[in-house]
Amino acid sequence: MEQVQKRLGEHTQLVVVEDDKALCVERLSAPGSGENLTRIAGRLPLHACSSGLILLAFGDGELRSRVLDAPLERMAPETITDPQQLSRLLRKIRGEGYAVAPGYVSAVSTGVAVPILDGLGGASAALSVVLPRDAAPEPAILELQSAARRIAHAAVRLG
C-alpha cells in the first residue's frame, strides 16, 4: 500500500466486507490528495464505491443477491441505484478485473479498485485509490494490480 500511495500520490485504501458494507481497514493519504469521504473503520454501501463494487463482483452470490434486492442508496449523482444496471456492471468488473467509479461517492473523485484474490478466485479484500475526477485511471489500475498480486502472494507465503 505504501508503494502505491508513494507512486500515485493519492489516497490508497484496503477495504473488506463487513455486515454487507465496505469497511475501510487501512488508508494512506498524502498532502494534496483530493477529496475522500472514506475513513479508517468507516463504512460505505458496497454498490456505491469502487472497492465495494470489487467485493460484490468477486464475492459470493448470496452477498450480491442481498445487495441487489435491497434499496440502493444514492451517495452522489453518478451512484448506480438500478439493480439491473448494477448487475451488468458487476459482470463487467469481474471480467475486466478492476472497477472504475467516477463520481459514485463524490462528484469530484473517481475510485479505482482491484481485488486481492484468495486461492479460490474470490476477493479477500479490495485495494483502491481515489483520483481526481479528470485523472486517467489506467496508471492506477496497473499499479494496483501489481500491488494486489504482491499482497496475495505474501499472504499465501505467510499462510
Side-chain angles (χ1 to χ4, degrees), residues 31-106:
S33 295
E35 180 178 304
N36 183 1
L37 299 179
T38 303
R39 303 286 178 254
I40 294 175
R43 290 170 175 77
L44 288 171
L46 288 166
H47 73 283
C49 61
S50 60
S51 292
L53 292 169
I54 285 291
L55 295 166
L56 279 172
F58 288 85
D60 66 45
E62 288 180 19
L63 173 65
R64 266 190 307 283
S65 292
R66 283 193 308 272
V67 171
L68 289 167
D69 290 343
L72 299 172
E73 174 186 356
R74 184 174 306 282
M75 299 285 297
E78 302 297 325
T79 307
I80 293 176
T81 58
D82 176 76
Q84 291 178 340
Q85 184 182 2
L86 179 59
S87 184
R88 287 189 300 272
L89 177 62
L90 295 175
R91 284 191 299 276
K92 180 178 186 258
I93 289 168
R94 183 148 179 119
E96 293 177 342
Y98 62 85
V100 177
Y104 282 34
V105 176
S106 168

